[in-house]
């Protein structure tokens, strides 16, 4: 190519800050997170429409919290899905109504996020709404029907060549590239694997199985269409029949002949059902053949056939097969693997491109969401004008944190799988009896019912390079509770809100948010005066802004004007705790279970008397301080924690250049 042609090509290259390869759940939510922070990004996706095949069907409370962050909370319960409710673990071959040897209650609000433990969702609907959020951000652009053909990188940027939806070849240049294009996507398979990035089996989690995943839609049988169905004579309605054969909750079926998992996904009124079962490769079963209708029916339909004695009848009763419509039946190989590197130069991996895991914990999409939440704010920092720090250390800190979280997610997922896939009679016997005995002790029974939530909220064990201050209580996930604004007059007149929504505001450009906990309204003014005296905004180089500080009165019983404190107005960002009953009466509780187990003092109790909390955008605490002096010290250490070096001192204070 001539010099003139090369120059012409360079002039035609479009530019952005972040290029995102793939617009599945991870890529879409990353675009939404960046767009809400005015970070320019372009998403390149091969498919022109949302894939209609529901693959993932479960999302934990961290995932719900992120949907809330991008403004989709009102869609979570009712349109995207509904509460996962109960998860049952059963043994034997007696069908879906077998008495469980253990169950987890996901309907409570005991995890510390203010949400239920999880939802069963329709992935295409969730993706549709996430894309709508991204499209609504002026800084985000989704380019669908685009196929990536080349990635090139230099010291200051990364370029992508792709074929657009009109068949034309185009180039796009960005400061960074995020591969969220799946385990077989171009970013890892074609670009990073030659650079030594490989998907490795995780030590201690050598799980490798092939399963068939089947999605059904059920029609309701009717007396007109099925006049000989025996349950009509017993007074059953069509809905009663459906509920009898497809009970609520999710079931891990420990059938030693063929472990299986099944349950409703999406809103229950839509009558969607997922059934997954193991393919026995050692016995010569072919995965593709086991996904055919006849083989699938031989495995699943016995679970949809009840013994007649349950109804006082002589003959077995089967759900009418003409009411069962197969939407999808496909084999999948499940394993627990993670890439040895998630970030090389200016290219990083998220979601299934970086890690894969078995389906037993509903952690696939949630893990991708956590990837996006952790990398989004770091990309926001690295894309700032005049950024001259080490982006390698910044992104390495993300890798360290996420791999630690991933290990925990996989451990919980594999533990669920072990409960389900045991086939040895001896192992099954001891499993059932040990769990039966544990449930005789109330405290143990409660922990078992909480499931993974019994381990508490997320917390990092510090390793050099992580972006928080371990000596100042950093690295812990900030709980979320409910609150109401305190203003002149009756505080009860204010609407109930989530604390995340009052601490974080999309229009803010600061990296850290400061939450100040106070016991009463008198302390608000004293805390404000202390922050101004200590020049917190100056010492943080504007990363803590006084007009964005959020004050939380750690009591539900306060209102402006009752005490000697100053009268409050909406601009002062003063809130008080809201009770579970107040939340229940609010619109936020619509279509979801009541907040059973909600602890409105969760933030206060976990902070143990610390008053000043510096919170990162991903809801993890950078530092939590007892005093203003500790807070100033924490602000001075931001640069070192992020980039590995402190700024030069000036006039006795350290400025933070971010």
């Amino acid at each position: 190519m001539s010099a003139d042609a090369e120059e012409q090509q360079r002039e035609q290259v479009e530019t952005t800050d972040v290029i995102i390869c793939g617009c599945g759940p991870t890529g879409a939510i990353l675009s939404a997170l960046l767009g809400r922070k005015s970070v320019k990004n372009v998403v390149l996706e091969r498919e022109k429409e949302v894939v209609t095949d529901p693959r993932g069907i479960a999302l934990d409370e961290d995932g719900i919290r992120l949907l809330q962050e991008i403004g989709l909370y009102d869609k979570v319960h009712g349109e995207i899905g509904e509460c996962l409710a109960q998860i049952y673990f059963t043994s034997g071959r007696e069908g879906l109504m077998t008495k469980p040897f253990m169950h987890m209650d996901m309907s409570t609000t005991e995890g510390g996020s203010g949400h239920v433990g999880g939802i069963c969702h329709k992935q295409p609907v969730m993706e549709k709404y996430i894309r709508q959020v991204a499209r609504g951000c002026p800084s985000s652009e989704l380019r669908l029907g685009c196929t990536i053909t080349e990635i090139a990188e230099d010291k200051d940027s990364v370029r992508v060549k792709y074929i657009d939806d009109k068949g034309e070849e185009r180039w796009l240049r960005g400061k960074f590239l995020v591969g969220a294009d799946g385990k077989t996507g171009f970013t890892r398979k074609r670009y990073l694997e030659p650079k030594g990035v490989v998907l490795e089996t995780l030590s201690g989690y050598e799980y490798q199985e092939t399963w068939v995943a089947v999605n059904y839609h059920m029609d309701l049988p009717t007396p007109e269409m099925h006049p000989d169905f025996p349950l009509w004579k017993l007074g059953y309605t069509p809905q009663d029949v459906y509920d009898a054969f497809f009970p609520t909750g999710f079931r891990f079926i420990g059938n030693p002949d063929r472990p299986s998992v099944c349950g409703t996904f999406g809103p229950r009124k839509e009558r969607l059902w997922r059934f997954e079962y193991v393919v026995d490769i050692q016995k010569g079963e072919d995965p593709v053949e086991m996904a055919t209708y006849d083989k699938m029916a031989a495995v699943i339909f016995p679970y949809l056939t009840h013994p007649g004695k349950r109804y006082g009848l002589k003959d077995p009763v089967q759900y009418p097969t003409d009411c069962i419509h197969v939407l999808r039946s496909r084999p999948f190989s499940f394993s627990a693997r993670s890439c040895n590197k998630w970030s090389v130069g200016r290219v990083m991996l998220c979601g299934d491109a970086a890690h894969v895991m078995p389906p037993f914990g509903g952690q696939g999409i949630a893990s991708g969401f956590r990837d996006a939440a952790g990398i989004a704010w770091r990309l926001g920092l690295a894309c700032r004008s005049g950024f001259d720090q080490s982006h390698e250390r910044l992104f390495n800190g993300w890798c360290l944190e996420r791999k630690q979280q991933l290990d925990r997610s996989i451990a919980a997922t594999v533990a669920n799988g072990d409960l389900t896939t045991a086939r040895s009679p001896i192992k099954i016997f001891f499993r059932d009896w040990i769990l039966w005995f544990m449930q005789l002790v109330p405290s143990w029974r409660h922990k078992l019912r909480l499931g993974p939530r019994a381990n508490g909220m997320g917390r990092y064990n510090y390793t050099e390079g992580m972006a928080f201050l371990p000596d100042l209580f950093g690295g812990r996930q900030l709980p979320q509770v409910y609150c109401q604004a305190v203003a002149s007059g009756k505080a009860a007149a204010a609407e109930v809100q989530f604390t995340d929504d009052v601490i974080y505001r999309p229009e803010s450009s600061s990296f850290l948010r400061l939450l100040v906990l106070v016991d009463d309204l008198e302390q608000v003014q004293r805390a404000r005066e202390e922050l101004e005296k200590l020049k917190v905004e100056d010492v943080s180089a504007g990363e803590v802004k006084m007009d964005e500080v959020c004050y939380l009165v750690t009591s539900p019983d306060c209102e402006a004007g009752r005490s000697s404190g100053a009268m409050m107005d909406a601009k002062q960002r003063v809130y008080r705790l809201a009770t579970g009953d107040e939340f229940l009466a609010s619109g936020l509780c619509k279509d979801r279970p009541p907040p059973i187990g909600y602890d409105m003092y969760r933030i206060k109790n976990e902070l143990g008397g610390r008053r000043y909390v510096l919170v990162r955008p991903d809801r993890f605490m950078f530092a939590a301080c007892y005093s203003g002096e500790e807070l100033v010290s924490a602000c001075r250490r931001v640069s070192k924690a992020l980039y590995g070096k402190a700024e030069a001192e000036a006039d006795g204070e350290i400025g933070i250049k971010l």
Side-chain angles (χ1 to χ4, degrees):
M1 183 183 294
S2 67
D4 290 341
E6 290 182 355
E7 180 63 26
Q8 184 179 10
Q9 185 186 62
R10 281 195 293 270
E11 291 176 355
Q12 293 174 348
V13 174
E14 297 178 87
T15 61
T16 188
D17 286 334
V18 180
I19 303 170
I20 302 171
C21 298
C23 199
T26 301
I29 202 165
L30 176 58
S31 178
L33 291 169
L34 292 174
R36 285 166 66 86
K37 289 300 178 186
S38 299
V39 179
K40 293 173 59 179
N41 67 91
V42 174
V43 184
L44 302 176
E45 165 59 44
R46 182 178 57 189
E47 303 294 336
K48 292 186 177 182
E49 303 290 341
V50 171
V51 177
T52 58
D53 179 22
R55 291 146 291 161
I57 60 172
L59 188 69
D60 68 9
E61 59 190 307
D62 278 353
I64 300 172
R65 197 172 180 180
L66 275 168
L67 292 178
Q68 172 202 332
E69 177 180 350
I70 64 172
L72 290 179
Y73 176 75
D74 63 331
K75 307 295 184 185
V76 168
H77 298 280
E79 293 191 53
I80 292 175
E82 63 181 30
C83 177
L84 191 55
Q86 309 297 318
I87 299 177
Y88 299 101
F89 295 85
T90 68
S91 188
R93 308 170 176 85
E94 289 75 29
L96 304 186
M97 300 309 293
T98 304
K99 183 178 180 181
F101 59 81
M102 190 185 85
H103 87 276
M104 298 177 185
D105 186 354
M106 307 299 286
S107 68
T108 66
T109 310
E110 298 179 78
S113 70
H115 297 296
V116 295
I119 60 169
C120 48
H121 63 84
K122 289 178 65 177
Q123 183 176 337
V125 175
M126 181 174 67
E127 288 191 44
K128 178 190 73 173
Y129 281 119
I130 297 174
R131 288 187 182 189
Q132 285 183 5
V133 173
R135 286 193 178 101
C137 300
S139 299
S140 297
E141 183 180 353
L142 308 187
R143 298 184 183 179
L144 308 180
C146 297
T147 303
I148 297 171
T149 59
E150 184 178 337
I151 297 174
E153 190 178 358
D154 57 36
K155 179 178 178 294
D156 300 315
S157 65
V158 57
R159 292 192 306 158
V160 170
K161 183 165 70 172
Y162 66 98
I163 308 298
D164 67 13
D165 59 344
K166 297 178 182 178
E168 298 179 0
E169 187 176 274
R170 303 177 65 178
W171 281 91
L172 179 65
R173 183 192 301 274
K175 296 177 181 177
F176 301 98
L177 182 146
V178 178
D181 46 352
K183 60 184 179 181
T184 61
F186 187 96
T187 308
R188 180 172 61 79
K189 295 294 292 183
R190 299 286 298 277
Y191 182 68
L192 289 181
E193 282 193 1
K195 296 177 179 291
V197 175
V198 294
L199 201 58
E200 299 177 328
T201 299
L202 297 177
S203 177
Y205 304 115
E206 291 81 7
Y207 180 88
Q208 183 74 40
E209 289 271 18
T210 299
W211 289 61
V212 170
V214 185
N215 289 342
Y216 290 118
H217 172 261
M218 311 299 177
D219 289 336
L220 294 179
T222 65
E224 294 77 18
M225 294 295 294
H226 308 86
D228 297 328
F229 189 67
L231 297 189
W232 306 138
K233 297 179 181 180
L234 301 180
Y236 277 70
T237 67
Q239 187 63 48
D240 292 337
V241 173
Y242 178 77
D243 291 339
F245 282 85
F246 300 94
T248 59
F250 221 80
R251 281 163 173 76
F252 288 78
I253 305 169
N255 185 334
D257 294 335
R258 194 181 299 278
S260 305
V261 183
C262 68
T264 296
F265 68 94
R268 183 165 173 81
K269 63 184 179 182
E270 297 186 19
R271 300 189 300 278
L272 298 171
W273 191 264
R274 166 67 62 84
F275 203 108
E276 299 177 0
Y277 53 90
V278 168
V279 177
D280 198 332
I281 301 296
Q282 294 183 349
K283 290 185 178 180
E285 291 183 345
D286 177 73
V288 175
E289 182 184 5
M290 289 302 297
T292 61
Y293 183 88
D294 289 343
K295 292 292 185 180
M296 172 272 298
V299 172
I300 297 176
F301 284 4
Y303 288 103
L304 306 181
T305 304
H306 293 174
K309 64 181 180 180
R310 176 178 296 177
Y311 306 101
L313 301 173
K314 178 181 178 181
D315 298 321
V317 182
Q318 184 179 41
Y319 195 85
T321 56
D322 63 329
C323 292
I324 302 173
H325 305 287
V326 179
L327 303 178
R328 168 251 235 170
S329 182
R330 290 182 56 191
F332 285 93
S333 294
F334 294 127
S335 59
R337 295 189 293 168
S338 174
C339 286
N340 58 332
K341 297 178 183 179
W342 290 15
S343 175
V344 178
R346 293 181 173 270
V347 179
M348 56 217 70
L349 298 172
C350 283
D352 288 349
H355 46 75
V356 294
M357 64 185 69
F360 307 119
Q363 289 295 304
I365 293 177
S367 292
F369 278 12
R370 293 188 190 101
D371 293 346
I375 199 64
W377 63 265
R378 290 172 166 92
L379 286 168
L381 290 179
C383 291
R384 283 182 174 180
S385 177
F387 179 84
D388 60 358
Q389 302 284 1
S390 169
H391 70 265
E392 287 88 354
R393 178 183 170 98
L394 191 64
F395 297 142
N396 183 60
W398 166 71
C399 295
L400 293 171
E401 292 178 358
R402 281 297 299 125
K403 285 196 173 185
Q404 202 173 100
Q405 278 185 316
L406 186 71
D407 284 345
R408 295 182 186 133
S409 296
I410 289 179
T413 295
V414 172
N416 277 356
D418 286 343
L419 288 173
T420 303
T421 58
R423 302 187 192 184
S424 164
I426 296 176
K427 186 175 181 179
I428 292 172
F429 174 82
F430 280 106
R431 175 198 67 191
D432 292 0
W433 276 99
I434 289 172
L435 288 170
W436 175 84
F437 174 75
M438 290 178 67
Q439 292 176 83
L440 296 178
V441 181
S443 60
W444 292 355
R445 181 170 64 248
H446 182 66
K447 286 186 176 181
L448 287 173
R449 290 187 178 181
L450 283 178
R453 295 182 293 168
N455 297 322
M457 301 198 71
R459 176 181 177 180
Y460 297 124
N461 295 320
Y462 183 74
T463 298
E464 177 62 31
M466 292 184 177
F468 58 85
L469 303 180
D471 56 311
L472 290 179
F473 209 66
R476 293 166 171 81
Q477 193 172 21
L478 181 72
Q480 177 172 236
V481 295
Y482 316 134
C483 66
Q484 288 181 300
V486 178
S488 298
K490 295 285 186 179
E495 66 178 1
V496 175
Q497 301 180 72
F498 291 107
T499 48
D500 280 2
D501 294 339
V502 302
I503 295 171
Y504 298 93
R505 292 185 177 180
E507 65 271 15
S508 174
S509 60
S510 61
F511 157 50
L512 294 172
R513 306 298 171 87
L514 177 57
L515 172 66
V516 181
L517 304 183
V518 295
D519 295 325
D520 51 48
L521 292 179
E522 285 89 344
Q523 291 185 7
V524 173
Q525 188 60 31
R526 292 202 296 269
R528 183 177 286 112
E529 291 171 353
E530 181 179 25
L531 294 176
E532 291 175 346
K533 182 179 179 181
L534 293 169
K535 300 184 184 301
V536 170
E537 185 164 346
D538 293 337
V539 79
S540 69
E543 286 303 334
V544 177
K545 297 180 179 179
M546 288 298 297
D547 61 354
E548 294 178 357
V549 176
C550 182
Y551 299 86
L552 181 63
V553 182
T554 56
S555 168
D557 185 23
C558 73
E559 62 181 53
R562 177 180 294 178
S563 67
S564 59
M567 298 291 282
M568 302 295 165
D569 60 56
K571 294 182 180 180
Q572 290 184 298
R573 296 169 59 84
V574 180
Y575 303 85
R576 56 94 169 169
L577 296 178
T579 66
D581 287 341
E582 289 171 323
F583 179 81
L584 180 61
S586 75
L588 295 179
C589 203
K590 181 182 178 182
D591 297 324
R592 57 151 282 177
I596 297 171
Y598 165 64
D599 178 9
M600 66 180 172
Y601 299 109
R602 183 77 178 250
I603 294 178
K604 178 181 179 180
N605 291 339
E606 292 206 5
L607 286 168
R610 294 168 179 84
R611 296 290 187 181
Y612 299 104
V613 190
L614 290 171
V615 193
R616 304 185 329 192
D618 58 359
R619 279 58 176 167
F620 278 83
M621 290 181 270
F622 178 79
C625 309
Y626 289 106
S627 66
E629 288 76 14
E630 279 189 350
L631 176 62
V632 169
S633 174
C635 289
R636 288 174 171 169
R637 296 165 62 188
V638 171
S639 186
K640 189 175 190 307
L642 291 177
Y643 313 115
K645 60 182 180 179
E647 296 295 326
E649 293 191 12
D651 298 326
E653 295 182 347
I654 300 177
I656 310 299
K657 183 180 180 182
L658 292 177

